[in-house]
Amino acid sequence: QTSTNNAPSDSDSQDPCRRPASRHRGDRRSPRLPVARVLVLDGVQDPRNFGACLRVADGAGADLVVVARNRNVDLTPVVSKVAAGAAESQCIAQVGNMVRFPESTKGKGLWIVGADAEATSSLYELDLSVGTALVLGGEGEGMRRLTRETCDHLVSLPMRGAVSSLNVAVAAGIFLYECVRQRSVRLPGTHPLR
């Protein structure tokens, strides 16, 4: 039994991007994977961070938020309060195996882009106007090695100051809204995820 809303049961694990029939956002249909925008959280433990990630995912129009069943904080009253309504409206899927989820989506046209502080490519160098799953790791540790290895691309955010990383919810907002921006306009100087 899962505690997050709209999460597929184990029998639905082959297609975690399925939406339930009742959706609070009106008449949005199931995402077509080639243009889907998915946020994958690998081990976010702080309920405030998780709530803020849900809020920014909802604001940016993410089709799905995927979390690891055993490595992510559950949907709690604190998460719901910080999410400001997004915990009830955002489609969330809990998966038992965080490595298997990206592998199952690759054949459906979804590019897996991982946030990694050590990556040599910048987020702003990729064309994110196609179907994209953005993978962010948890507080402190980042993505696990096996999750990182399933990514098609690893990218970093340019850090210009004294700090070496950002809060996961802030990074999620930057990544998701870069997708929104790129889908509005085709950017010169970016290369496609191919």
Side-chain angles (χ1 to χ4, degrees), residues 3-5 45-48 50-51 54 72-83 87-88 92:
S3 61
T4 57
N5 71 326
Q45 295 294 319
D46 184 281
R48 287 171 184 79
F50 184 36
L54 292 176
N72 206 73
V73 65
D74 282 332
L75 195 60
T76 66
V78 172
V79 171
S80 291
K81 182 176 181 178
V82 173
E88 293 74 34
I92 303 166

Side-chain angles (χ1 to χ4, degrees), residues 2 4-9 12-13 15-20 38-41 50 54 63-69 72 90-96 98 101:
T2 60
T4 57
N5 71 326
N6 301 335
S9 66
D12 294 334
S13 62
D15 189 6
C17 293
R18 254 188 40 199
R19 283 200 192 275
V38 178
L39 177 62
V40 180
L41 301 174
F50 184 36
L54 292 176
D63 297 295
L64 179 67
V65 175
V66 177
V67 297
R69 183 174 294 133
N72 206 73
Q90 181 63 54
C91 187
I92 303 166
Q94 288 184 329
V95 296
M98 188 56 78
F101 171 76

Side-chain angles (χ1 to χ4, degrees), residues 13-65:
S13 62
Q14 285 75 25
D15 189 6
C17 293
R18 254 188 40 199
R19 283 200 192 275
S22 62
R23 177 93 165 111
H24 297 282
R25 266 202 202 172
D27 193 27
R28 286 186 50 176
R29 302 288 185 235
S30 294
R32 295 178 332 119
L33 287 182
V35 295
R37 189 174 9 221
V38 178
L39 177 62
V40 180
L41 301 174
D42 184 23
V44 173
Q45 295 294 319
D46 184 281
R48 287 171 184 79
N49 281 340
F50 184 36
C53 285
L54 292 176
R55 186 173 183 172
V56 75
D58 185 79
D63 297 295
L64 179 67
V65 175

Side-chain angles (χ1 to χ4, degrees), residues 115-134:
D116 186 345
E118 304 301 317
T120 57
S121 295
S122 165
L123 165 69
Y124 304 112
E125 295 172 13
L126 292 180
D127 176 359
L128 300 171
S129 63
V130 296
T132 310
L134 303 168

